[in-house]
Amino acid sequence: MFLSTLLLTALVAMPITPDTLRQEQLDEVVVKSNSARQRLRQIQTGAEQVQLKDLTNSPQLFGEHDIMRSMQLLTGVKSESDASSSFQVRGGTSAQNQILVDIAPVYNVGHLAGLFSAFNSDALVSATLYKGLLPAQYGGASSAVLDIIGKTGNKSEYHGGASIGLLSAKGTIEGPIVKNKAAFLVTARRSYMDMFLKLSPDFKGNTLYFYDINAKADWTINENNQLFLSFFTGHDRTALEDMVDIRWNNLSTSLKWLHHFGSNAYAQSTAYYSGYQTDNGIDFLGMNIWFSGHIRQTGFRQDFHANLGNNRLDAGLQTALLNVKSAEWKQVSLHEKEQRRAWDNAFWLNLMVPITKKLDVSAGLRVSAFSPLGGSLYYDLEDNGDIAWYYNYGKNQIVKTHTVLEPRLSVNYQLSPVASLKFGYTRTSQNVHALRNQSTATPFDRYTMSSNIVKPEVADQVSAGLFMMTPNQDYDFSAEVYYRHINNVLDYRDGKSFASEIEIERLMLAGKGKGYGIELSARKNNGRLTGWIGYTLSWSKTKIDGINQGRWYDANNDRRHDINIVAMYHLNKRWNLSASWVYNSGQAFTAPSGKYMIEDNWIYYYTERNGYRAPASHHLDVSAVWSKKYRNRTHQLVFGIYNLYNRYNPFLINFEDGEYGAGTKAKQYSLFGIVPSVSFNINF
């Protein structure tokens, strides 16, 4: 609520009524285009790849090329809100996704509460999204995995680039460290909204900025060995005078050794670290409150790959130590903290086999073993959430081990040279859990891990689809249906919020969920005009004993209809035009059924979880890119308009009492209407 108020004030809110394609070769990362024929023949169902050219050409908010918002334009993928960089996949929440950047996980993917993506597009080469149907080498997420590949530097000569927009600026430099042997690439980005705020007497005491830095170095030791070192950090600060100070940051780094045994086999060894931390202070009506939390993960991953004739074998193992502080806060004289550690292990085996000329199969098994560790308090709970008993385990003593077998299967049957049927089944598990007061990610989210009480989230998904293309690959079409069932999904107990108790397990109950739907897509791949149309019809429901009287209820990310229309037009060698129209039907939310008064204060009474619907959201975005190449540099002007017809979409719905307590009104708040933008880019 404080975050929403802050954003509404700072950004002038308006109230209104109403098969992975990664190929890392010895000298460079090569990304192949995801053509219609590749999509048709790809064994792995539910996999989508975003190419940089599509990322560059599609219109974006504030003129920033944003890989996360590009993902939101795919079928089966939904944005959390009009202002969010996070996305939801096939009935899951964004907290049930795993985002990997050069193997290292990143837990918060947004700047300024999601208005900007945490990832600078100049540091990326491509990304593959697995919509729940994962190969065995991926795990740790019960919904989806986004695998992002960072760029490597040029080994022969120096290049650079810069971009200046209305709200942020960024720069890139790359080049050889040792010519033809080692190279580096560094990108940095910073917003300067805080500078504009200082020019206004009303806002000069406020702070609103972010920055991020990406760096990557690679060294070709010899023809069979190569090292990669990747680094990413991002920092946000948002403050209102002396009332609110909200900070969060990401840090991830990985060191990878790639060794080729020959032309048909290689091994990849990766050590990595990932950290996410939030630190928030609030001084309101004389009440000083401070809240913080973090997730830290240090791990090692070993991958093996071999081509055995026409067969492909992938195997590996991963081990990691996790440290999660679910909350630490100070409220007046009260100081409380809950922090725990765990040991996470997994190993996997995946085999891709062409059974016949028409039938290809990918089958695998992943085994995960998650062990919460002692050194902090554990407890048992009564049915009402009270603590029944405390356990004090020794440091590094294993409290319990959760072992999950995760089978994976994908089948592709070629009906003809231009049509195929695909089927997939996957079981996935997740041991890091998030509790949210609303459907979107905020710095006030609380995280916990599987423990003696909390079990891993385990999701089973089946999917089947028909994929077709025209003989010349100009057009391709797909229709895919899915059903997803999840055990041990978590939600807040009635009447609880993130600050009700320091012991996070007292706030929540576990139950089951399900999601199902159909995804339809049509693409135009060639010619001056390219693009796609996607439609998703879906349901997402939850059932937890103790919530909603034990009946099924719509999850807060349940949304019935999603439509994405994207068009890109190459006008001439100087101009490229693009447009996208997005429609999302309203999300479910909980509204009060009544109210009563206690000591002159109105208290709302809730009887039905997520029984109401927000209005639909839709917006049309357009952009025009002018480019001119000189001898050794390229200039580019990017013009854009986000929300062309000035639609005020719901960001927050609040409930307010009428005068003297008469009646209760729902009031919708929107972050922005039409947003024009312009930026200048130079590459040399």
Side-chain angles (χ1 to χ4, degrees):
M1 184 62 191
F2 289 104
L3 180 63
S4 302
T5 303
L6 177 61
L7 286 172
L8 295 173
T9 304
L11 296 178
V12 195
M14 299 185 180
I16 61 175
T17 53
D19 59 73
T20 179
L21 299 182
R22 171 184 292 175
Q23 292 193 359
E24 296 194 71
Q25 297 186 347
L26 285 180
D27 292 324
E28 60 185 353
V29 176
V30 178
V31 178
K32 297 182 178 180
S33 64
N34 199 21
S35 68
R37 189 171 300 280
Q38 285 176 314
R39 286 192 290 271
L40 190 75
R41 292 182 174 177
Q42 190 176 37
I43 300 176
Q44 193 68 42
T45 184
E48 297 272 7
Q49 187 180 41
V50 168
Q51 298 294 314
L52 278 187
K53 64 181 181 65
D54 294 333
L55 174 64
T56 303
N57 291 335
S58 58
Q60 305 290 347
L61 179 62
F62 302 125
E64 280 277 340
H65 303 316
D66 191 330
I67 194 168
M68 304 305 289
R69 293 190 184 276
S70 295
M71 288 295 167
Q72 295 170 6
L73 296 175
L74 301 174
T75 55
V77 182
K78 307 175 181 182
S79 64
E80 284 189 321
S81 72
D82 205 26
S84 177
S85 293
S86 297
F87 59 87
Q88 303 163 342
V89 178
R90 292 186 172 180
T93 68
S94 63
Q96 294 170 329
N97 299 332
Q98 184 174 75
I99 315 297
L100 302 175
V101 180
D102 288 331
I103 301 299
V106 176
Y107 289 98
N108 189 300
V109 298
H111 287 306
L112 296 180
L115 293 179
F116 289 80
S117 166
F119 306 121
N120 183 343
S121 62
D122 290 347
L124 311 178
V125 64
S126 74
T128 303
L129 175 68
Y130 297 94
K131 297 188 290 188
L133 279 298
L134 311 181
Q137 51 266 44
Y138 294 97
S142 59
S143 183
V145 170
L146 177 61
D147 187 9
I148 299 175
I149 306 171
K151 281 184 181 178
T152 54
N154 190 300
K155 287 187 174 67
S156 59
E157 54 188 14
Y158 291 96
H159 293 281
S163 175
I164 301 176
L166 292 179
L167 300 178
S168 66
K170 58 185 178 179
T172 303
I173 186 168
E174 63 175 314
I177 300 172
V178 177
K179 194 166 185 177
N180 300 322
K181 292 282 290 184
F184 74 95
L185 181 141
V186 177
T187 68
R189 178 174 57 159
R190 193 193 191 278
S191 66
Y192 35 74
M193 287 172 285
D194 51 328
M195 301 177 187
F196 293 127
L197 292 176
K198 294 184 186 303
L199 300 177
S200 169
D202 296 329
F203 294 100
K204 64 180 181 180
N206 300 331
T207 301
L208 193 67
Y209 75 87
F210 71 83
Y211 69 81
D212 53 55
I213 300 170
N214 292 78
K216 192 167 185 177
D218 68 295
W219 175 33
T220 302
I221 301 171
N222 54 44
E223 63 179 9
N224 290 325
N225 295 280
Q226 190 171 9
L227 288 178
F228 298 86
L229 177 62
S230 299
F231 173 83
F232 161 72
T233 187
H235 180 84
D236 279 75
R237 187 180 179 196
T238 306
L240 278 180
E241 298 286 349
D242 297 322
M243 293 174 55
V244 179
D245 192 350
I246 301 174
R247 311 180 190 206
W248 68 96
N249 61 75
N250 286 294
L251 173 65
S252 70
T253 185
S254 64
L255 176 62
K256 179 172 60 181
W257 171 34
L258 179 63
H259 174 73
H260 283 260
F261 297 103
S263 60
N264 294 323
Y266 67 81
Q268 184 172 282
S269 307
T270 308
Y272 65 89
Y273 170 81
S274 174
Y276 163 67
Q277 181 165 329
T278 179
D279 194 346
N280 311 310
I282 300 168
D283 191 345
F284 185 68
L285 298 177
M287 294 280 291
N288 188 277
I289 302 171
W290 171 76
F291 166 82
S292 73
H294 69 235
I295 306 174
R296 296 169 184 164
Q297 181 175 350
T298 304
F300 175 80
R301 172 173 170 148
Q302 181 66 57
D303 290 273
F304 300 96
H305 169 86
N307 292 322
L308 309 174
N310 293 325
N311 305 323
R312 171 175 169 169
L313 175 68
D314 289 282
L317 58 89
Q318 186 170 359
T319 185
L321 288 174
L322 287 90
N323 184 317
V324 174
K325 181 166 70 174
S326 73
E328 181 179 7
W329 55 51
K330 294 178 182 178
Q331 302 180 45
V332 192
S333 61
L334 179 66
H335 183 192
E336 297 179 298
K337 181 174 78 169
E338 182 178 64
Q339 184 172 336
R340 288 178 177 172
R341 298 167 58 249
W343 186 25
D344 189 16
N345 294 280
F347 65 88
W348 59 86
L349 183 69
N350 202 88
L351 185 63
M352 297 176 62
V353 181
I355 304 297
T356 68
K357 289 184 178 180
K358 292 187 175 183
L359 180 63
D360 295 315
V361 174
S362 173
L365 177 67
R366 183 182 182 92
V367 180
S368 66
F370 188 88
S371 303
L373 300 176
S376 54
L377 284 177
Y378 291 81
Y379 43 84
D380 283 335
L381 294 178
E382 304 281 4
D383 290 341
N384 62 0
D386 291 339
I387 295 176
W389 194 263
Y390 284 101
Y391 299 97
N392 211 341
Y393 295 92
K395 187 176 182 180
N396 296 328
Q397 182 180 352
I398 293 177
V399 175
K400 185 176 183 177
T401 297
H402 300 279
T403 303
V404 182
L405 300 179
E406 305 176 21
R408 314 286 172 86
L409 177 68
S410 288
V411 178
N412 184 339
Y413 181 74
Q414 296 283 324
L415 297 172
S416 72
V418 296
S420 68
L421 279 174
K422 297 184 184 182
F423 168 82
Y425 164 75
T426 298
R427 170 172 290 175
T428 54
S429 67
Q430 180 171 335
N431 288 287
V432 177
H433 317 283
L435 273 184
R436 293 176 172 171
N437 280 340
Q438 51 189 351
S439 60
T440 57
T442 74
F444 293 93
D445 296 338
R446 290 188 62 179
Y447 293 86
T448 189
M449 297 182 289
S450 299
S451 66
N452 61 316
I453 295 175
V454 178
K455 298 178 181 178
E457 296 178 16
V458 179
D460 292 278
Q461 183 178 152
V462 292
S463 175
L466 174 64
F467 298 79
M468 302 177 63
M469 69 177 185
T470 56
N472 56 9
Q473 302 187 60
D474 283 347
Y475 299 89
D476 67 89
F477 311 90
S478 66
E480 195 167 359
V481 295
Y482 68 90
Y483 179 86
R484 176 175 176 266
H485 182 274
I486 181 169
N487 286 317
N488 309 317
V489 64
L490 303 174
D491 206 347
Y492 274 106
R493 292 175 181 263
D494 288 334
K496 297 291 186 180
S497 64
F498 84 99
S500 298
E501 313 285 351
I502 189 65
E503 299 91 358
I504 189 172
E505 291 164 334
R506 299 179 63 189
L507 306 178
M508 58 195 185
L509 290 172
K512 57 186 178 181
K514 60 183 178 182
Y516 49 93
I518 183 170
E519 301 166 3
L520 305 175
S521 176
R523 297 174 181 261
K524 185 178 186 300
N525 303 306
N526 300 319
R528 285 191 169 187
L529 177 65
T530 60
W532 65 88
I533 299 174
Y535 170 69
T536 304
L537 173 66
S538 62
W539 290 260
S540 181
K541 297 182 178 295
T542 306
K543 183 179 181 181
I544 300 176
D545 289 339
I547 299 177
N548 204 52
Q549 301 178 0
R551 302 190 305 262
W552 284 101
Y553 60 91
D554 291 335
N556 58 12
N557 62 321
D558 178 80
R559 217 162 54 197
R560 199 66 64 239
H561 306 282
D562 288 87
I563 302 172
N564 299 308
I565 302 175
V566 180
M568 294 166 282
Y569 186 73
H570 180 67
L571 183 64
N572 53 46
K573 66 179 183 178
R574 296 279 176 84
W575 286 95
N576 285 287
L577 312 177
S578 64
S580 66
W581 185 72
V582 176
Y583 175 90
N584 311 129
S585 57
Q587 292 195 160
F589 70 94
T590 302
S593 303
K595 61 182 180 180
Y596 53 91
M597 181 174 285
I598 297 180
E599 297 180 353
D600 297 327
N601 293 314
W602 287 104
I603 307 298
Y604 290 121
Y605 175 66
Y606 299 87
T607 59
E608 185 179 8
R609 184 70 61 98
N610 296 335
Y612 295 83
R613 289 280 168 176
S617 298
H618 51 87
H619 53 88
L620 173 65
D621 313 323
V622 296
S623 72
V625 180
W626 174 87
S627 300
K628 186 174 182 180
K629 292 185 177 181
Y630 296 88
R631 185 173 182 179
N632 58 355
R633 68 186 188 276
T634 300
H635 291 181
Q636 192 179 73
L637 278 170
V638 182
F639 305 93
I641 302 178
Y642 183 87
N643 196 4
L644 180 64
Y645 51 78
N646 201 32
R647 163 82 176 183
Y648 290 114
N649 291 307
F651 174 72
L652 173 69
I653 295 178
N654 199 22
F655 298 95
E656 301 176 1
D657 288 321
E659 208 171 333
Y660 307 110
T664 299
K665 295 188 296 184
K667 199 167 187 179
Q668 173 184 306
Y669 293 86
S670 302
L671 273 182
F672 34 65
I674 186 172
V675 182
S677 64
V678 61
S679 62
F680 174 72
N681 307 325
I682 182 171
N683 294 288
F684 53 88

